[in-house]
Amino acid sequence: MRNLLLGVETVWLEAECSRYEFFLDVIRQSNPDIAIVTLDSDHSKAMQLIAQITTEFPGMPILAVSGRGDGQHILQALRSGAKEFLTQPVVLEELMTAMQRLRRGRTTTTADGSIVSGSGKADAIVVAILGSRGGVGCTSLAVNLGCTLSQDPGTNVALIDLDLALGDTDVALDLMPDYTLADVALNIDRLDMQFLRRSLCKHATGLSLLPHPQQMEDIGLIRDEHLQRVIGLLKASFSHLILDLSKSFTATDLTALRMADVILLVAQLELSSLRNVVRTMLTLSADDALASKVHVVLNRVGSECDISLKKAEETIGKPVYWQIPNDPRTMMESRNEGVPLVQHAPRSKVHQSIAGLGQALCGKSNGKATPSKLKRSFFSFK
Ligand SMILES: Nc1ncnc2c1ncn2[C@@H]1O[C@H](COP(=O)(O)OP(=O)(O)OP(=O)(O)O)[C@@H](O)[C@H]1O
Ligand SMILES: [Mg+2]
């Protein structure tokens, strides 16, 4: 339990107690969010302790852990006052889910004390970035959105490069990763938060990157269930998770789309891109949960020969959520130098626009860059 908890960034292990008799004192002395009681060294003492904690600290969420998972055993623990029960050996995901439920269901406690203090933070916002054709600007958006969001001291952002064959987030950030998604997949059976964190490559802006495999032959190692595990774990540890998808609708892409809170469908004001927006939305509309998450983002708005915004919105049958201006020079320089816009050209309109998108996704708006206002300002293009 200790090793598991120490690996989780969002958990602070406040105290450990090896004797049931002293545990109440430990709780009184610290300020707990959750108390964990392992039952197996003395079951009746453990039951008694859980009942005492419940009486003295009625709002305290208690997690009971035992090697015995039979119904009678679980029922006893729950009747004594435990809110959750996990069977040893505890799996990290189950622990994280149980702790989230406990935090959510927590009533206020009037007393001091605890063994584990969670940060109380919610799961990460998961943003999947999906392209309507090659070269439409997904990686530029993923990398720059990640870096700009990382500027806020209250955030920690991870980016997963799911363009498994030809991804280039590492190049865009000028990073030389030691580990990739392939290493994570190879070690999936012993994956814990410490291993996963070691596999991430940190950029100077604070963004953490989990890169695509270096060797193309390793792509086959990564299965959708691996990704599901990785996203689940990172969600509990980061405030934002950005997924740069491939354009092939692979099994891992579909998993990413399903697990995302928001899907940014990137398009440009030209025919083949808009046509693919319609096709993609048609495919995704088979699943209500997916369709409602799609936000169309127009990239490179303002280049010559653009189809008009009005026509584009008529074609796709949905309002455009955000528009990013065309700025080939700044973008190309930033990309070739491997320096994100927030460092390379923080004053550029293209950076400001992506930063505004980040704010909007977080439910914040500076009043200048709300989607509707931005849309109006760009109407003048055509
Ligand atoms: N707003 C923009 N203004 C000008 N150029 C841009 C803009 N956004 C992206 N680009 C340029 O478009 C090119 C393709 O961008 P990017 O690699 O981000 O697209 P992608 O959708 O990830 O491509 P791929 O299909 O290869 O994954 C890059 O050269 C990039 O500099
Ligand atoms: Mg790309």
Side-chain angles (χ1 to χ4, degrees):
M1 287 304 296
R2 178 172 182 273
N3 285 346
L4 274 183
L5 292 166
L6 286 177
V8 182
E9 204 169 61
T10 49
V11 169
W12 176 257
L13 182 61
E14 181 74 22
E16 288 173 76
C17 179
S18 56
R19 301 278 295 273
Y20 292 112
E21 295 87 321
F22 303 145
F23 191 73
L24 264 177
D25 276 342
V26 172
I27 288 189
R28 286 185 198 116
Q29 279 161 26
S30 37
N31 184 20
D33 290 320
I34 297 171
I36 300 178
V37 181
T38 54
L39 311 182
D40 294 344
S41 40
D42 189 328
H43 186 257
S44 61
K45 275 190 185 170
M47 288 303 133
Q48 209 182 343
L49 171 64
I50 292 177
Q52 280 173 327
I53 303 173
T54 312
T55 314
E56 196 168 325
F57 307 98
M60 172 81 60
I62 303 168
L63 167 62
V65 180
S66 168
R68 280 178 56 193
D70 56 282
Q72 191 59 27
H73 205 64
I74 297 173
L75 209 61
Q76 264 184 345
L78 297 182
R79 281 192 182 140
S80 298
K83 294 279 184 304
E84 292 280 337
F85 186 100
L86 291 177
T87 329
Q88 292 267 39
V90 174
V91 180
L92 184 58
E93 281 96 324
E94 286 172 5
L95 175 67
M96 301 301 289
T97 316
M99 291 208 300
Q100 266 158 22
R101 276 201 298 266
L102 287 171
R103 282 198 300 230
R104 247 180 258 133
R106 184 169 188 205
T107 54
T108 46
T109 174
T110 49
D112 289 352
S114 138
I115 193 153
V116 174
S117 301
S119 67
K121 89 175 193 36
D123 267 359
I125 302 173
V126 183
V127 182
I129 301 188
L130 177 65
S132 55
R133 63 159 171 73
V136 80
C138 293
T139 302
S140 306
L141 179 57
V143 161
N144 287 302
L145 189 61
C147 288
T148 185
L149 284 172
S150 299
Q151 300 309 292
D152 185 339
T155 63
N156 53 348
V157 188
L159 166 61
I160 310 181
D161 195 337
L162 291 175
D163 191 352
L164 299 181
L166 299 175
D168 51 356
T169 50
D170 51 344
V171 177
L173 290 166
D174 193 24
L175 289 173
M176 298 264 282
D178 291 325
Y179 300 102
T180 72
L181 259 171
D183 300 288
V184 172
L186 278 171
N187 291 284
I188 200 78
D189 291 332
R190 59 181 192 95
L191 187 66
D192 59 21
M193 205 61 107
Q194 271 162 331
F195 186 94
L196 192 53
R197 270 219 303 275
R198 268 206 311 275
S199 310
L200 298 168
C201 193
K202 192 104 171 178
H203 186 260
T205 54
L207 177 71
S208 295
L209 173 69
L210 186 53
H212 66 88
Q214 290 303 326
Q215 311 294 335
M216 289 199 184
E217 54 271 29
D218 288 345
I219 295 169
L221 296 172
I222 299 152
R223 295 203 304 270
D224 45 336
E225 62 266 27
H226 297 159
L227 182 65
Q228 217 169 324
R229 249 197 111 187
V230 170
I231 293 179
L233 288 175
L234 291 180
K235 261 176 85 162
S237 208
F238 285 82
S239 65
H240 297 76
L241 209 52
I242 298 176
L243 313 171
D244 185 11
L245 271 55
S246 84
K247 276 132 184 144
S248 308
F249 283 85
T250 60
T252 42
D253 289 330
L254 291 176
T255 298
L257 291 173
R258 281 195 204 102
M259 294 188 80
D261 300 302
V262 180
I263 299 169
L264 298 180
L265 177 53
V266 185
Q268 287 184 16
L269 286 167
E270 51 84 23
L271 199 57
S272 55
S273 170
L274 293 176
R275 176 172 169 268
N276 284 345
V277 169
V278 175
R279 291 176 63 217
T280 307
M281 291 210 306
L282 206 64
T283 308
L284 298 185
S285 65
D287 182 338
D288 282 348
L290 285 184
S292 59
K293 297 189 287 196
V294 179
H295 293 44
V296 178
V297 172
L298 286 180
N299 190 25
R300 306 195 66 164
V301 174
S303 38
E304 279 178 28
C305 313
D306 273 0
I307 289 173
S308 75
L309 179 66
K310 188 162 170 279
K311 186 97 182 149
E313 287 186 327
E314 276 169 18
T315 310
I316 58 183
K318 189 179 166 103
V320 164
Y321 179 71
W322 206 264
Q323 297 173 59
I324 302 171
N326 184 40
D327 188 346
R329 194 182 165 145
T330 308
M331 274 304 209
M332 196 53 93
E333 278 172 3
S334 145
R335 196 62 180 265
N336 285 339
E337 286 171 28
V339 180
L341 292 171
V342 69
Q343 294 172 321
H344 177 76
R347 293 196 183 169
S348 63
K349 286 206 172 91
V350 61
H351 169 69
Q352 300 288 331
S353 171
I354 294 173
L357 171 58
Q359 299 262 309
L361 290 174
C362 298
K364 299 178 200 162
S365 176
N366 59 12
K368 285 183 200 150
T370 57
S372 58
K373 283 186 184 168
L374 201 67
K375 196 187 297 176
R376 245 175 275 133
S377 69
F378 275 111
F379 260 123
S380 53
F381 277 124
K382 279 248 160 167

